[in-house]
């Protein structure tokens, strides 16, 4: 099997998307756990916890944009 420039381009796109997906999953896990702990103590923090849990999704959008630009 021959490694070509096109196959390297596809590999770079895959790394960009997979890397951002893993980073997002890790960020949501950490923030989600902290948000649930905070909501146990104070129920008024639900909206803030929900917003903070959704923020890491922008990382995946950046990875997708980079993959499309490539």
């Amino acid at each position: 099997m021959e490694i070509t420039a096109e196959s390297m381009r596809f590999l770079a796109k895959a790394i960009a998307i997979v890397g951002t997906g893993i980073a997002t999953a890790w960020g949501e896990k950490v923030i989600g756990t902290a948000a649930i702990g905070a909501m146990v103590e104070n129920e008024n923090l639900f909206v803030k916890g929900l917003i903070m849990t959704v923020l890491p999704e922008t990382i995946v959008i950046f990875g997708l944009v980079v993959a499309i630009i490539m």
Side-chain angles (χ1 to χ4, degrees):
M1 184 160 87
E2 191 175 319
I3 298 176
T4 63
E6 185 178 359
S7 64
M8 294 304 282
R9 199 169 348 126
F10 287 129
L11 181 62
K13 290 178 183 182
I15 289 172
I17 293 175
V18 168
T20 55
I22 291 171
T24 297
W26 178 76
E28 286 184 358
K29 176 190 70 99
V30 172
I31 293 171
T33 304
I36 289 172
M39 282 185 274
V40 166
E41 295 179 10
N42 185 359
E43 293 178 4
N44 295 330
L45 296 175
F46 175 76
V47 174
K48 289 182 182 179
L50 184 65
I51 291 171
M52 294 303 290
T53 304
V54 174
L55 281 177
E57 289 294 326
T58 58
I59 297 171
V60 172
I61 295 170
F62 293 146
L64 181 64
V65 168
V66 167
I68 290 172
I69 290 174
M70 282 186 204

